[in-house]
Amino acid sequence: MNMKTASRKWLVATASIVVAAVVLGLVLSIHVIHRPLVRVVNTNGQEGPVTVNTPAPVSINVPIYVVGLATLVQKLINAGINQSLIKPVTINELPSLPSNSLVIIDWSVLGPSLVVNKSGVVFVNTNSTVFGLIVLLIERGDFLIIHGNASDVLLIERALALAWSRAYNTSIVAMPVPKYLNGLNYVVAYGNEKALIIGPHTLSSALETTNNLWTPIITKQPSIDPSDDVCEQVIQEYGVPANQPAQVNNAYVIVYGEQTYSDSYGLATVDFCVSWAGIVDTQYNGYSIGYAELYNYIYYEPNSGTYINYLKSFQDAYASYMVYEYENGEISASQLPLDVTYIAGSGGGYYPGYWTSTAGFSPHAQQCSVSGSYTVSFATGFSISATGPSGGITVSNSITQGYSCPQVTLNVVGDGSNSTPIGGAVNTTWIYQPTTTNTDINDLATESEGNTYMGPAYNPQPSAYTIPAGASVDVSVGGCDLIGTEHEHIVYDINWDVWVNSNGAMSSYSNGAYIPPPAYYYNENSWTTNNGFYTTQYCT
């Protein structure tokens, strides 16, 4: 780890220090949104309850024991944590908590009893009661987050490392963590077949780390293989932040970030990402165009007694075009599709734009055999075709991932479509129905791509785009009404709100925001929200 670089990071944000003894991977999130009306989002973030360019909120599905002031509890709530999971306790209550707990302690509670300053020399009092308490928490498998100021980082790291070495009777041998842990400036230590992982973060990223490294062990949930999710591959390969634009080659990408929901029936994980060409073709059939590709991913692992009826994914260019018509005054808000909640507003120098989706999509409809498979790619570079003024923009670099679909019926439907001068605008929807494998882990990855409208030829305009996308799973979970079957339907839908400048560069305000599914508005009382997921149960 480059210590100079890390030091600069420590000086610009409040740091949380994270300690864990074992490692696996998983990600979760939470928030609640209600949509009575369409909201227009502008590039100044003035759009009501959702902040533009805010990373997808983080949440945990286990209790969080908090030792500290009410301000620390409020920070957790602001990070999107379900308040019912936050359990304030005193430092004296920590020994009586269950093993394998998630504990957050404010350094102001520990520091005065743990740090000794003798003649200007500062050291950790390893004979103090507080130090013994930290040793105990590590010994019993707790995930420990110490929340403090940037100036306290080195002392906190020293205290945790010493407590870890005492807990496992080992010396400290530290080294930087390899690239595949996303460059979070961790340091690891090894000894007696144990491992310490430690590093400075904001509170939100510390909570994400909790989910990445610890939650699957405690909840006995399997780790999601990030190599199956192309969005996660982009994060690992290029180090892009969650839900913020980043430039990769001459593409601008946004990775929403894996979101996970679990209950007694199973585990669902979704992710979304978009790649936007950083170049503009100023003469395509008399128009200026850009190019964009969307990618969705959904994974579901059923528990015993749960049967997967289908996985579904959609990317809605039709709604994108309808927003364009709405922004131009051609239709009213009541005519917008229900999967439009947050509109990337024009104005402030931006003009309405839209995305088309018929340049290519994957997977195609197929009946998968035992050895059935398909591939999906995600663009990481673009070029302008040399075949003439109507050549358009094409993908020049991409990440490609293969997926198996044993004993699966895979259908693709167009739920709404419009013809435009630069390509078709279709709501492409994939329906994945496993047969003999409906009690196994199943996942579905989808992508579609096409031109983006940027105004007249030779005069590209800064343009605003709204593109809905989403993923869902429907499972059978038992009997109901004597002869019926009980279902659970789990949905995670988003609106991509993207602003692109006339040279193809993406505005930093661009992001994804989760939304209620269209069916929510027909019977709101039948739905519950959790971690940005909307779930409902029904009987057939």
Side-chain angles (χ1 to χ4, degrees):
M1 176 172 65
N2 184 316
M3 292 306 294
K4 291 184 178 179
T5 300
S7 296
R8 287 198 295 270
K9 284 189 176 182
W10 294 338
L11 290 174
V12 298
T14 298
S16 297
I17 304 304
V18 181
V19 60
V22 278
V23 179
L24 280 179
L26 191 65
V27 180
L28 292 87
S29 77
I30 189 171
H31 200 61
V32 176
I33 291 179
H34 177 68
R35 178 241 188 180
L37 296 171
V38 172
R39 296 182 176 94
V40 177
V41 180
N42 63 36
T43 55
N44 296 318
Q46 297 170 342
E47 43 73 32
V50 172
T51 301
V52 175
N53 204 30
T54 298
V58 179
S59 179
I60 311 265
N61 281 336
V62 297
I64 304 175
Y65 299 99
V66 181
V67 181
L69 300 175
T71 52
L72 178 54
V73 172
Q74 188 59 50
K75 287 182 179 180
L76 292 170
I77 296 171
N78 294 343
I81 299 297
N82 188 331
Q83 192 168 356
S84 66
L85 294 173
I86 302 173
K87 312 293 183 183
V89 295
T90 66
I91 194 167
N92 294 328
E93 293 176 286
L94 290 177
S96 63
L97 297 180
S99 298
N100 298 322
S101 292
L102 171 55
V103 180
I104 301 178
I105 306 176
D106 196 273
W107 180 246
S108 64
V109 178
L110 298 177
S113 301
L114 193 59
V115 176
V116 177
N117 187 330
K118 287 187 176 180
S119 302
V121 178
V122 178
F123 65 94
V124 175
N125 182 4
T126 58
N127 296 318
S128 68
T129 302
V130 168
F131 182 82
L133 176 59
I134 296 175
V135 172
L136 172 65
L137 298 181
I138 295 172
E139 283 178 334
R140 69 185 192 186
D142 289 4
F143 193 100
L144 181 59
I145 297 175
I146 308 298
H147 180 264
N149 294 320
S151 58
D152 299 322
V153 165
L154 295 179
L155 278 173
I156 298 173
E157 286 188 330
R158 175 68 175 166
L160 291 178
L162 287 172
W164 174 81
S165 67
R166 184 72 59 85
Y168 295 116
N169 190 29
T170 183
S171 59
I172 304 170
V173 180
M175 61 179 288
V177 164
K179 178 180 179 180
Y180 61 78
L181 283 182
N182 298 337
L184 292 178
N185 290 327
Y186 288 107
V187 170
V188 296
Y190 300 99
N192 289 350
E193 299 181 347
K194 304 294 182 180
L196 167 73
I197 300 180
I198 188 170
H201 304 287
T202 64
L203 184 59
S204 292
S205 64
L207 294 170
E208 289 182 0
T209 302
T210 304
N211 286 311
N212 286 332
L213 305 180
W214 178 78
T215 304
I217 300 166
I218 303 309
T219 59
K220 295 181 172 57
Q221 295 172 349
S223 171
I224 302 298
D225 183 356
S227 66
D228 291 341
D229 175 9
V230 170
C231 303
E232 280 294 305
Q233 291 186 47
V234 173
I235 288 177
Q236 293 177 20
E237 182 67 23
Y238 298 102
V240 304
N243 207 21
Q244 299 179 49
Q247 188 168 3
V248 175
N249 302 318
N250 67 345
Y252 288 86
V253 302
I254 309 175
V255 175
Y256 189 75
E258 282 189 348
Q259 311 297 312
T260 301
Y261 169 81
S262 63
D263 57 22
S264 60
Y265 305 128
L267 168 70
T269 296
V270 300
D271 203 356
F272 310 92
C273 45
V274 61
S275 178
W276 212 280
I279 56 178
V280 178
D281 187 340
T282 60
Q283 169 54 299
Y284 178 85
N285 292 340
Y287 299 92
S288 294
I289 63 165
Y291 200 89
E293 181 176 18
L294 269 65
Y295 171 93
N296 297 358
Y297 180 73
I298 180 168
Y299 167 109
Y300 191 79
E301 177 174 0
N303 290 340
S304 177
T306 301
Y307 301 84
I308 300 174
N309 297 316
Y310 62 80
L311 305 177
K312 186 180 289 188
S313 176
F314 78 90
Q315 294 160 354
D316 195 351
Y318 168 73
S320 180
Y321 184 76
M322 295 292 282
V323 171
Y324 167 80
E325 290 193 319
Y326 168 74
E327 287 283 87
N328 282 320
E330 298 174 23
I331 64 172
S332 66
S334 63
Q335 294 174 278
L336 288 169
L338 287 177
D339 60 2
V340 174
T341 300
Y342 299 109
I343 291 178
S346 55
Y350 288 90
Y351 296 84
Y354 60 87
W355 171 68
T356 64
S357 58
T358 54
F361 67 89
S362 184
H364 291 272
Q366 57 185 293
Q367 185 71 45
C368 294
S369 63
V370 174
S371 58
S373 64
Y374 62 91
T375 60
V376 165
S377 64
F378 182 76
T380 57
F382 297 90
S383 61
I384 296 179
S385 172
T387 58
S390 296
I393 298 173
T394 58
V395 174
S396 59
N397 300 97
S398 62
I399 295 174
T400 300
Q401 174 69 39
Y403 298 87
S404 62
C405 54
Q407 301 295 328
V408 167
T409 299
L410 184 54
N411 291 316
V412 185
V413 298
D415 186 13
S417 63
N418 255 320
S419 176
T420 84
I422 62 169
V426 179
N427 180 1
T428 307
T429 302
W430 293 261
I431 305 170
Y432 175 107
Q433 296 173 290
T435 54
T436 58
T437 57
N438 62 351
T439 59
D440 299 333
I441 296 172
N442 280 265
D443 64 354
L444 172 65
T446 63
E447 62 91 6
S448 56
E449 56 192 291
N451 297 327
T452 62
Y453 177 79
M454 297 188 68
Y458 306 115
N459 185 28
Q461 300 168 338
S463 302
Y465 304 86
T466 301
I467 310 172
S472 61
V473 57
D474 187 275
V475 296
S476 297
V477 296
C480 59
D481 295 340
L482 298 179
I483 59 173
T485 301
E486 184 179 2
H487 295 251
E488 180 173 62
H489 192 50
I490 306 169
V491 185
Y492 202 111
D493 289 352
I494 69 170
N495 281 170
W496 287 115
D497 288 332
V498 176
W499 292 266
V500 176
N501 297 323
S502 59
N503 63 355
M506 184 182 289
S507 165
S508 62
Y509 297 104
S510 305
N511 74 341
Y514 68 81
I515 64 170
Y520 172 81
Y521 301 110
Y522 295 105
N523 188 4
E524 296 183 15
N525 293 332
S526 69
W527 291 83
T528 59
T529 61
N530 192 327
N531 304 348
F533 289 84
Y534 284 74
T535 63
T536 186
Q537 284 78 41
Y538 65 97
C539 189
T540 60

